[in-house]
Amino acid sequence: MLRTGFQVAVILGHHGALPGLTHLLPRFNPASAFGSSMETLVSRFCREMTESKNYALPNASWGPDMLSLYHEFLEKTKTEGWVRLPSFRSNRDHIQGFHLPLMSSANSGKSDWRLFTRCIEREGQGYEYVIFFQPSEKKSICLFQPGPYLEGAPGFAHGGSLAALIDETFSKTAYLSGEGLLTVNFNIRFKNLIPLGSLAVLNVSVEKIEDQKVYLSCVTQSRDQQTVYAKASGTFLQMQLEEDSSQH
Amino acid sequence: MLRSCTAGLRSLWALRGGREGVPRPSTDLQPAPRLFSAEKVIHTDCALPNPSWSKDLKLLFDQFMKKCEDGSWERLPSYRHRCAQISEDFKNYFLEQKPVKEGRLSQVRLFTRGFEDGLGFEYVIFKNNDEKRTVCLFQGGPYLQGVPGFVHGGAIAAIIDTALALCAAVPGKAIMTANLNINFKRPVPLCSVVVINSQLDKLEGRKLFVSCNVQSVDEKTVYSEATGLFIKLDPEKKSF
């Protein structure tokens, strides 16, 4: 059953609509189209999942830098309104009961499918990261410790692995800030290499939301901010999820 | 003295010049022979069909292998692990930053080759040296998911970085990714096959400007378009 007021903006200029979305909709008031408040989005996203493992928690592979900054932000979740985002093996776990428009829940997820940035199971070998979100400022911080399976240049993280994590942080921030769902544009400027096993801090902000798009920027730095690893910007298309019509 | 011999890419190594009798080291890298005469490395070339490859991917692979017969195209081999010798040399001669926690790095893998067959990136790259372009056949597996049912934008970024890097690769030189700009037009369905066509647009001193598009096998759907800037490393300057 479609949510009332459900509308989807079709983005793509010369190459036509997204698969399944065949009509171009007239302009509409964004405020009425995307009715889910941030509180609803955040609480739905952070719903307690007892069956799925939450990867956004410290484990033995986390270095001292990562641990101490994690605890700093954990304090801020109590005093300054920051939210620690849970992180599951698949995005389906975050949107239980909902699915992408015009895609039924039946074909949108086999159990062996995994979120890219959670694809490497072994602790400390791939992506170790946790995202904290500040709803009032539409900002996120992602603490990232790359493991040896993310290598590009010897001893350093692959540029593509950082790009993927920035896209992932953008995607969670865009979704919670304004139901941004699909990446439309992604731009990254690499400045320095991240040594494997060290801590990189991704600072993400929503710059603006207009024309059914969420615009974000990111600066990735060392903890002391002395080294800038990369700067990036991204644009996400706003899309409302549909409720599943069948009972689970 | 390794200066021009070692080469490192942010995403891949691409040096040409492997000669007879010299074992090829990891990840699309063919080193200068004198580095490796004493090194024996066991490696599997991942840029070859395996049971996880779909029919589409195998068909395209065969088509491109035919094109290689007259020498105008070549298939670039691709390995999971990097040769230890090259890693040391790269660290010593090219970078001032020292990676931390050396003890943990015994298990390194090239990021785009770190998965079991079929689960992550399945790809092979063919290069046409005269026309300065590459074609990358890519099948994104179930561990590359973003929005449920589709390949993660970041995984697309990683394979685009890989394809562009090999296109920009210059014999005997190390290059690094400086910028990447990607426009996503359609999401790529998980486990489907796409073709990434890359070309070198311009060369300005140490700057290499490349661009590519990501299309369906029948060329009717354009999934993304990207441009990239790569920089040739200068061992004298030890920076990029």
Side-chain angles (χ1 to χ4, degrees):
Chain A
M1 181 167 130
L2 293 177
R3 204 175 288 173
T4 49
F6 166 78
Q7 296 180 15
V8 173
V10 175
I11 202 194
L12 319 164
H14 19 290
H15 293 285
L18 287 167
L21 303 174
T22 52
H23 48 281
L24 197 61
L25 295 170
R27 289 273 185 215
F28 57 91
N29 180 359
S32 63
F34 297 103
S36 298
S37 66
M38 234 191 302
E39 290 78 32
T40 313
L41 290 170
V42 173
S43 69
R44 183 201 302 163
F45 189 88
C46 298
R47 192 179 299 166
E48 271 296 310
M49 295 274 313
T50 44
E51 316 88 59
S52 293
K53 178 177 166 179
N54 181 358
Y55 288 86
L57 293 170
N59 62 56
S61 72
W62 286 28
D65 273 343
M66 178 109 164
L67 279 169
S68 69
L69 198 53
Y70 171 80
H71 286 294
E72 250 182 64
F73 275 92
L74 210 53
E75 276 309 302
K76 296 193 197 201
T77 63
K78 299 171 193 156
T79 56
E80 294 174 33
W82 285 81
V83 177
R84 182 191 53 185
L85 300 186
S87 178
F88 306 117
R89 182 184 291 187
S90 167
N91 275 331
R92 295 212 64 232
D93 294 330
H94 284 298
I95 57 168
Q96 288 242 324
F98 294 86
H99 56 269
L100 277 182
L102 298 169
M103 261 190 79
S104 76
S105 54
N107 59 15
S108 67
K110 301 185 184 161
S111 58
D112 60 336
W113 291 2
R114 290 192 192 175
L115 177 62
F116 182 41
T117 48
R118 290 298 180 201
C119 59
I120 296 163
E121 281 274 19
R122 286 181 63 192
E123 278 180 7
Q125 297 303 301
Y127 285 98
E128 289 296 338
Y129 71 95
V130 55
I131 303 175
F132 290 89
F133 175 62
Q134 171 55 276
S136 60
E137 293 173 46
K138 294 194 175 65
K139 275 179 155 47
S140 290
I141 294 263
C142 174
L143 312 183
F144 172 40
Q145 183 183 290
Y149 288 9
L150 303 190
E151 188 181 72
F156 298 90
H158 193 288
S161 72
L162 175 63
L165 189 59
I166 293 178
D167 180 49
E168 177 57 23
T169 311
F170 275 168
S171 121
K172 296 296 185 278
T173 311
Y175 177 71
L176 294 173
S177 303
E179 297 183 276
L181 211 56
L182 292 179
T183 320
V184 167
N185 173 272
F186 183 82
N187 182 290
I188 183 165
R189 282 91 64 206
F190 295 101
K191 308 280 177 204
N192 281 293
L193 299 175
I194 304 176
L196 292 177
S198 70
L199 173 68
V201 182
L202 284 62
N203 291 278
V204 168
S205 316
V206 173
E207 300 292 329
K208 62 180 176 182
I209 301 182
E210 72 182 31
D211 291 338
Q212 288 94 58
K213 295 204 227 21
V214 182
Y215 295 81
L216 309 105
S217 65
C218 173
V219 178
T220 306
Q221 304 173 56
S222 56
R223 183 183 182 165
D224 59 13
Q225 300 183 352
Q226 294 299 302
T227 312
V228 174
Y229 294 119
K231 294 189 180 176
S233 55
T235 311
F236 280 71
L237 178 66
Q238 284 181 310
M239 288 176 83
Q240 265 191 333
L241 297 174
E242 290 179 6
E243 283 187 63
D244 287 342
S245 52
S246 54
Q247 298 298 320
H248 287 285
Chain B
M1 268 272 283
L2 304 147
R3 301 287 145 173
S4 54
C5 301
T6 47
L9 305 181
R10 170 168 289 279
S11 56
L12 286 171
W13 298 71
L15 247 194
R16 293 170 81 225
R19 287 183 213 156
E20 220 176 342
V22 175
R24 274 152 161 240
S26 49
T27 55
D28 318 273
L29 172 59
Q30 305 174 31
R34 60 192 158 145
L35 278 180
F36 304 99
S37 50
E39 284 272 344
K40 265 206 165 168
V41 188
I42 300 162
H43 39 255
T44 328
D45 184 349
C46 302
L48 290 168
N50 66 57
S52 74
W53 283 31
S54 68
K55 220 166 46 150
D56 273 347
L57 186 54
K58 284 189 217 165
L59 219 68
L60 274 173
F61 176 81
D62 289 337
Q63 279 172 23
F64 274 91
M65 285 307 282
K66 279 221 151 51
K67 294 195 201 208
C68 293
E69 281 166 14
D70 66 1
S72 57
W73 287 84
E74 64 170 318
R75 183 191 66 91
L76 301 181
S78 174
Y79 303 94
R80 250 188 199 134
H81 305 279
R82 203 177 303 282
C83 169
Q85 179 68 50
I86 264 211
S87 304
E88 270 317 304
D89 300 333
F90 182 81
K91 282 182 225 164
N92 293 334
Y93 287 90
F94 280 88
L95 297 163
E96 285 163 2
Q97 298 161 280
K98 292 281 179 227
V100 303
K101 299 199 170 83
E102 297 270 358
R104 281 199 194 161
L105 302 182
S106 53
Q107 284 261 323
V108 294
R109 289 186 194 175
L110 179 64
F111 180 46
T112 49
R113 289 293 184 200
F115 299 83
E116 297 305 315
D117 281 354
L119 294 178
F121 297 89
E122 287 298 334
Y123 65 98
V124 53
I125 302 183
F126 292 88
K127 185 159 187 171
N128 184 320
N129 287 298
D130 294 332
E131 296 174 28
K132 302 221 183 323
R133 58 192 187 97
T134 59
V135 172
C136 171
L137 312 176
F138 169 56
Q139 178 183 294
Y143 283 16
L144 304 190
Q145 185 176 226
V147 166
F150 299 98
V151 180
H152 196 286
I156 306 272
I159 193 70
I160 284 179
D161 181 38
T162 300
L164 289 177
L166 280 175
C167 187
V170 175
K173 292 274 184 287
I175 67 171
M176 293 251 176
T177 321
N179 297 352
L180 266 185
N181 187 62
I182 306 171
N183 288 315
F184 295 93
K185 302 203 175 287
R186 274 189 177 75
V188 176
L190 213 51
C191 305
S192 69
V193 180
V194 295
V195 180
I196 305 173
N197 297 290
S198 316
Q199 63 192 41
L200 178 64
D201 293 321
K202 194 167 55 163
L203 187 54
E204 253 176 34
R206 289 198 293 143
K207 293 187 189 171
L208 298 143
F209 295 86
V210 279
S211 64
C212 73
N213 60 37
V214 181
Q215 292 183 351
S216 58
V217 172
D218 61 9
E219 294 178 7
K220 293 201 178 134
T221 311
V222 176
Y223 293 104
S224 4
E225 285 170 350
T227 56
L229 170 63
F230 288 76
I231 310 283
K232 271 189 254 186
L233 293 188
D234 186 339
E236 299 301 316
K237 301 207 174 121
K238 286 202 174 185
S239 65
F240 71 101

